């Protein structure tokens, strides 16, 4: 493993690797365990650990952006903004220990108005496989001050090429931030029955598309998840003691007897108190038409959130990084728990949501593994997120989880659903499902790879992209 501290050192590493044809595997923090962490696909690769390049290089309060290096974690960006008294919020994912750049390059998501992280990237500096450096967008003009304020420059917009790919090593990136709002409202809608998922999705999609709700990615949780998130301490074994997924009728009994809701959706509002109050009124009106829906909210003055926020979603919806989710998972599943994250996409309609919620249950039942799917609205799409759990100390369980995952990819494909991201172990398998035109897109990616990195030294095989001269080392 090498740990460069500057762009010049990254360039030198790439040149040496290129000369000796040694594959490199760059990563920023390597914390993204459900998707493979700092894992590598080929033997004999050198890890390029970018965590020492960890400076927030610039912050602009007026235009609300920051320029960061790859090792900057969400915790670091938050602390930097806090300590510098900038009235700016970052968007953060569930856990704060990952890097802003790694998460963005992987198409990661947060929950504030800036929660679509790839969309809020603005300008990049990238080291290519030949050791040269390129800056994208306005950064392609030397000294241009608009680098991190205007996404596109002149000519093709190439930034997306460096996300979910193996085409370069990103050494700087502009991140768009949210001016700290005066107020923040943490909201929840609970519905009673399984089938209420449909009107829940339909109603929220309407509110988002009309711009009543601006927060990115409302999350729809199950009774299990609500129990953990809200720290309710309910023991599910009162309703079900078997192994594998809890049957739907027992889950429904658990929801009914606890009042926890069969589905609970979390989202937020930001800004002027009057606008928040009015928006909430509209939300209540709309959900009054959904049988049994209950809307609740907690409103905080921006400066009080850190002390008054009670739950992990309240923190992440207000751009405060934490490790709470990992702590609660460890408490529930033990220190050696592991997970593979399965994230499949469908249009945001009630019919698709119901179909997705049921689609994978039989496979989990067959393999005897817990099934506990949640949904994110994106807003015209829904992402079904379900974690495949295992105990990493139990080899048989690990191998069962991996076998199940492989099957889930195929079952989702058969239902017309693709994964938006996956653990590296399955990149070839997932890419295989994107088969339109006899895998025309994968062939285009390979041609770009061959042009930029003919020896295939940068992260070979990531996202199913190999240079022509290489195949996977099984
Ligand atoms: P996190 O910071 O969330 O822990 P990683 O650093 O592991 O995430 O990044 C996730 C993936 O994104 C890595 O496995 C790697 O493939 C890619 N990646 C991360 N940082 C860079 C970078 N600076 N340049 C190119 N690819 C990167």
């Amino acid at each position: 493993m090498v740990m460069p501290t500057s762009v010049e050192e990254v360039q030198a590493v790439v040149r040496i690797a290129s000369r000796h044809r040694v594959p490199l595997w760059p990563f920023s923090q390597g914390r993204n365990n459900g998707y493979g962490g700092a894992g590598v696909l080929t033997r004999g690769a050198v890890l390029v650990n970018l965590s020492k390049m960890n400076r927030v290089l610039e912050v602009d309060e007026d235009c609300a952006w920051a320029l960061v290096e790859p090792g900057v974690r969400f915790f670091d960006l938050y602390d930097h903004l806090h300590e510098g008294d900038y009235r700016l919020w970052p968007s953060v994912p569930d856990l704060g220990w990952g890097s802003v750049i790694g998460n963005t390059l992987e198409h990661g998501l947060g929950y504030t108005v800036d929660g679509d992280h790839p969309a809020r990237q603005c300008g990049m500096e990238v080291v290519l496989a030949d050791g040269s450096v390129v800056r994208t967008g306005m950064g392609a003009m030397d000294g241009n001050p608009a680098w991190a304020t205007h996404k596109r420059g002149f000519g093709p917009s190439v930034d997306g090429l460096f996300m979910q790919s193996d085409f370069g090593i990103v050494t700087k990136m502009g991140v768009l931030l949210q001016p700290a709002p005066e107020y923040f409202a943490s909201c929840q809608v609970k519905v009673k029955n399984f089938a209420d998922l449909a009107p829940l999705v339909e109603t929220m999609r309407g509110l988002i598309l009309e711009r009543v709700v601006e927060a990115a990615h409302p999350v729809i949780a199950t009774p299990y998840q609500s129990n953990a998130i809200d720290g309710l301490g309910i023991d599910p074994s009162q309703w079900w003691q078997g192994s594998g997924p809890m049957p739907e009728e027992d889950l429904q009994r658990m929801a009914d007897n606890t009042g926890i809701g069969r589905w609970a959706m979390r989202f937020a509002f930001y800004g002027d108190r009057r606008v928040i109050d009015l928006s909430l009124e509209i939300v209540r009106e709309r959900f009054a038409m959904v049988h049994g829906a209950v809307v609740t909210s907690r409103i905080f003055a921006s400066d009080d959130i850190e002390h008054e926020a009670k739950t992990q979603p309240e923190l992440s919806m207000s751009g405060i990084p934490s490790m709470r989710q990992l702590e609660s998972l460890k408490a529930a599943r033990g220190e050696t728990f592991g997970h593979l994250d399965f994230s499949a996409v469908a249009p945001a309609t009630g019919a698709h949501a119901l179909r997705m919620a049921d689609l994978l249950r039989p496979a989990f039942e067959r393999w005897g593994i817990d099934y506990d799917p949640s949904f994110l609205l994106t807003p015209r799409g829904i992402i079904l997120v379900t974690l495949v759990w295992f105990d990493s100390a139990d080899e048989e369980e690990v191998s069962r989880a991996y076998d199940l995952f492989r099957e889930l990819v195929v079952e989702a494909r058969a239902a017309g659903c693709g994964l938006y991201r996956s653990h590296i172990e399955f990149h070839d398998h997932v890419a295989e499902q994107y088969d339109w035109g006899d895998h025309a897109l994968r062939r285009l990616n390979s041609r770009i790879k061959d042009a930029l990195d003919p020896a295939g030294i940068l992260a070979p095989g990531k996202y199913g992209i190999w240079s022509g001269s290489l195949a996977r080392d099984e």
Side-chain angles (χ1 to χ4, degrees), residues 26-32 37 50 70 98-99 102 105-106 168-170 462:
F27 68 96
S28 294
Q29 283 290 338
R31 299 294 194 181
N32 206 352
L50 298 157
S99 69
L105 298 185
E106 291 282 286
I169 300 181
V170 177
K462 212 173 75 176

Side-chain angles (χ1 to χ4, degrees), residues 36-89:
V40 180
L41 279 175
T42 46
R43 293 206 183 91
V46 171
L47 290 166
V48 182
N49 177 338
L50 298 157
S51 63
K52 283 196 169 168
M53 293 174 69
N54 59 358
R55 289 172 303 164
V56 177
L57 296 167
E58 219 176 319
V59 176
D60 183 306
E61 194 162 29
D62 296 333
C63 292
W65 56 265
L67 185 70
V68 299
E69 291 188 321
V72 172
R73 301 169 310 155
F74 288 96
F75 281 126
D76 303 323
L77 179 57
Y78 178 82
D79 289 346
H80 188 90
L81 296 173
H82 209 63
E83 283 153 21
D85 271 334
Y86 295 104
R87 303 287 300 165
L88 295 170
W89 283 14

Side-chain angles (χ1 to χ4, degrees), residues 321-441:
S322 81
M323 294 300 288
R324 284 206 196 174
Q325 196 180 66
L326 187 64
E327 287 150 18
S328 65
L329 285 171
K330 274 189 185 165
R333 295 187 174 267
E335 286 290 321
T336 54
F337 87 92
H339 56 102
L340 294 167
D341 296 4
F342 183 88
S343 314
V345 178
T349 66
H352 277 292
L354 286 176
R355 192 176 61 106
M356 297 275 281
D358 263 344
L359 181 68
L360 304 172
R361 176 179 268 276
F364 279 83
E365 282 171 351
R366 268 198 311 280
W367 290 88
I369 294 177
D370 287 0
Y371 178 55
D372 194 29
S374 58
F375 291 93
L376 271 80
L377 271 83
T378 70
R380 288 174 175 79
I382 41 168
I383 305 178
L384 170 105
V385 181
T386 184
L387 307 196
V388 182
W389 303 105
F390 54 84
D391 176 354
S392 60
D394 181 336
E395 209 173 318
E396 190 275 329
E397 241 185 61
V398 176
S399 121
R400 218 152 25 104
Y402 277 66
D403 287 344
L404 166 61
F405 195 98
R406 212 164 268 288
E407 215 173 284
L408 294 177
V409 172
V410 176
E411 293 207 2
R413 165 64 190 107
C417 298
L419 274 62
Y420 92 99
R421 193 177 185 187
S422 98
H423 187 285
I424 53 165
E425 177 65 21
F426 305 100
H427 279 191
D428 275 340
H429 186 47
V430 176
E432 182 65 26
Q433 316 304 321
Y434 284 81
D435 53 4
W436 188 87
D438 192 18
H439 301 94
L441 183 61

Side-chain angles (χ1 to χ4, degrees), residues 14-241:
V14 171
R15 288 199 181 106
I16 294 166
S18 174
R19 198 174 323 129
H20 297 280
R21 303 215 151 207
V22 176
L24 298 175
W25 194 274
F27 68 96
S28 294
Q29 283 290 338
R31 299 294 194 181
N32 206 352
N33 294 331
Y35 292 117
V40 180
L41 279 175
T42 46
R43 293 206 183 91
V46 171
L47 290 166
V48 182
N49 177 338
L50 298 157
S51 63
K52 283 196 169 168
M53 293 174 69
N54 59 358
R55 289 172 303 164
V56 177
L57 296 167
E58 219 176 319
V59 176
D60 183 306
E61 194 162 29
D62 296 333
C63 292
W65 56 265
L67 185 70
V68 299
E69 291 188 321
V72 172
R73 301 169 310 155
F74 288 96
F75 281 126
D76 303 323
L77 179 57
Y78 178 82
D79 289 346
H80 188 90
L81 296 173
H82 209 63
E83 283 153 21
D85 271 334
Y86 295 104
R87 303 287 300 165
L88 295 170
W89 283 14
S91 168
V92 302
D94 292 319
L95 298 175
W97 63 353
S99 69
V100 178
I101 288 188
N103 179 277
T104 304
L105 298 185
E106 291 282 286
H107 294 175
L109 305 172
Y111 306 98
T112 66
V113 291
D114 289 325
D116 183 349
H117 295 164
R120 298 303 192 271
Q121 165 271 332
C122 190
M124 272 183 192
E125 178 184 84
V126 190
V127 174
L128 302 177
D130 62 0
S132 62
V133 193
V134 64
R135 287 186 175 185
T136 66
M138 289 292 162
M141 179 188 284
D142 201 12
N144 189 324
W147 190 20
T149 61
H150 188 86
K151 218 169 148 66
R152 287 169 287 272
F154 195 67
S157 182
V158 296
D159 304 53
L161 281 181
F162 300 104
M163 298 183 186
Q164 294 208 345
S165 74
D166 51 7
F167 298 151
I169 300 181
V170 177
T171 46
K172 289 184 184 64
M173 191 182 83
V175 190
L176 304 184
L177 303 167
Q178 176 183 3
E182 215 176 324
Y183 286 92
F184 158 66
S186 160
C187 311
Q188 197 183 70
V189 184
K190 282 194 278 193
V191 289
K192 289 197 166 130
N193 300 310
F194 178 83
D196 298 333
L197 177 64
L200 188 66
V201 167
E202 296 274 338
T203 307
M204 188 44 124
R205 186 198 60 224
L207 288 164
I208 299 174
L209 293 185
E210 289 169 44
R211 304 276 200 276
V212 177
V213 173
E214 279 196 294
H217 314 131
V219 178
I220 302 176
T222 63
Y224 264 104
Q225 293 156 4
S226 297
N227 183 23
I229 291 167
D230 294 328
L232 301 177
I234 298 166
D235 177 7
S237 69
Q238 291 174 59
W239 293 278
W240 163 250
Q241 289 102 27

